[in-house]
Amino acid sequence: MKGKRIVIALGGNAIQQGKEATAEAQIRAVARTADALAGLVSEGYEMVVTHGNGPQVGSLLLQQASSIPAIPAMPLDVCVAMTQGMIGYWFQNALDHAFLHRESPPTVATVVTRCVVDPNDPAFLNPTKPIGPFYSEEAANALTMNGYVYREDAGRGYRRVVPSPRPQSIIEHRVLTDLVERGHLVVASGGGGIPVVETGEGYVGVEAVIDKDFAAEKLAELIEADTLVILTAVEHVAIHYHQPDELALREVTAAELERYIASGEFAPGSMLPKVEAALEFVRSKDGRRAVITSLDRVKEALAGETGTMIAVSFNQLV
């Protein structure tokens, strides 16, 4: 359906809300998210869902750190693969339940997805992507003895940081396109995808985490999506955020957004990667749009009633 193919990048609160990290709590959060996504399918959207996995992969690494020597810990790329499967499984069950009483529901499939990165990406020399829980400064200093790097994160404590190279391609994109064209709802590129580099003998995983918003942008390009939808905790992107003159952006062109980025309006590690990913997508091909909004307002945002809509020019915003 023309104009109806979308990629949705879910924020962390779509899977884990608050500090409760039990499987039961995360399954409840996924169920609430699935109900909102199911409504979009009823509107006729062809959809691929992506999601983050920072808390989940961080918890898995902590569990492995306390494992017995006879059972060695798995590397980060394997942990990304494991959490992709886990979270995808939760979404499959939740979406199937959300479609239980709907006529002709789509089949939901999770594809464990690999994302190619450049081994010479400068990100490998400067780890910045936070994963896992927050620690006090004292606890973080003790954990650096394991060879990990910890940095202060937005005044909330210290978190482990790992390299975050830019995605170059997604190996399974043709499979994903085929599934979408056949009417299936696909969960893919979880946690930004499994980071791999290409060698003369095939693909090899690397110790890194790919930003989910940039991975979603690359995925949206490759499957020829019409709209990239980035869901976060706020209804709109805003300039002068948390200041008396805060202003919500409803419709913004690529050129305007570039000026706001250049003036430092968006926080690194928070809104900045989202608006940068949106900008890359709308500039990738004529007619493409991006939407940034909250999960509970996504239907209205896609209809142009709320949220922040981004396009190359104003005539593409209407």
Side-chain angles (χ1 to χ4, degrees):
M1 186 178 298
K2 184 175 176 58
K4 289 286 192 175
R5 182 170 299 178
I6 62 176
V7 168
I8 292 188
L10 294 170
N13 61 351
I15 303 170
Q16 182 172 322
Q17 298 179 342
K19 295 183 179 180
E20 191 175 0
T22 64
E24 292 78 12
Q26 293 179 82
I27 289 169
R28 289 195 298 270
V30 167
R32 289 190 290 270
T33 300
D35 287 337
L37 299 180
L40 296 180
V41 173
S42 298
E43 295 290 318
Y45 289 102
E46 301 175 344
M47 189 159 54
V48 175
V49 177
T50 73
H51 58 80
N53 70 342
Q56 293 76 23
V57 80
S59 297
L60 183 56
L61 290 168
L62 283 173
Q63 290 172 346
Q64 293 193 119
S66 60
S67 63
I68 60 175
I71 306 176
M74 294 292 105
L76 183 54
D77 61 306
V78 176
C79 292
V80 172
M82 293 166 72
T83 53
Q84 266 199 45
M86 176 183 73
I87 296 170
Y89 161 64
W90 289 342
F91 269 108
Q92 286 175 244
N93 284 348
L95 286 162
D96 281 345
H97 184 268
F99 292 129
L100 194 60
H101 301 294
R102 296 174 187 259
E103 187 175 345
S104 302
T107 300
V108 185
T110 296
V111 178
V112 176
T113 316
R114 296 166 293 170
C115 189
V116 180
V117 299
D118 183 351
N120 297 314
D121 192 306
F124 286 107
L125 301 177
N126 181 32
T128 58
K129 186 69 173 178
I131 60 173
F134 292 91
Y135 295 95
S136 67
E137 184 175 4
E138 294 76 14
N141 287 336
L143 288 166
T144 58
M145 297 176 62
N146 296 326
Y148 298 152
V149 177
Y150 287 81
R151 291 180 183 164
E152 195 273 334
D153 185 356
R156 295 176 290 176
Y158 286 74
R159 298 176 77 187
R160 182 185 171 191
V161 291
V162 298
S164 185
R166 285 294 187 102
Q168 303 298 306
S169 184
I170 294 171
I171 298 170
E172 293 80 13
H173 71 89
R174 291 185 180 85
V175 175
L176 302 176
T177 302
D178 185 61
L179 288 169
V180 170
E181 289 179 347
R182 292 173 182 269
H184 304 298
L185 195 165
V186 184
V187 182
S189 200
I194 305 163
V196 298
V197 296
E198 189 171 5
T199 73
E201 298 179 354
Y203 295 102
V204 176
V206 292
E207 288 274 314
V209 170
I210 299 167
D211 185 280
K212 72 176 186 338
D213 297 315
F214 289 125
E217 188 282 325
K218 182 59 65 176
L219 175 61
E221 280 190 41
L222 291 169
I223 71 164
E224 294 289 336
D226 303 291
T227 305
L228 170 63
V229 183
I230 299 177
L231 301 183
T232 185
V234 294
E235 187 173 340
H236 304 91
V237 178
I239 56 173
H240 314 311
Y241 188 57
H242 281 173
Q243 299 177 32
D245 58 344
E246 177 178 323
L247 176 66
L249 302 177
R250 292 292 303 273
E251 296 180 341
V252 59
T253 66
E256 289 175 318
L257 196 60
E258 285 178 329
R259 289 196 295 271
Y260 292 138
I261 292 171
S263 63
E265 285 287 353
F266 309 118
S270 180
M271 188 57 73
L272 181 59
K274 294 174 175 53
V275 295
E276 287 180 332
L279 187 60
E280 285 187 22
F281 180 69
V282 301
R283 287 200 178 283
S284 66
K285 187 176 182 180
D286 187 53
R288 288 175 170 171
R289 302 189 298 176
V291 174
I292 302 177
T293 192
S294 59
L295 175 66
D296 59 344
R297 300 306 303 275
V298 63
K299 183 177 178 180
E300 294 85 352
L302 281 166
E305 298 169 5
T306 189
T308 298
M309 181 78 72
I310 302 154
V312 169
S313 60
F314 276 114
N315 66 344
Q316 294 176 356
L317 289 167
V318 295

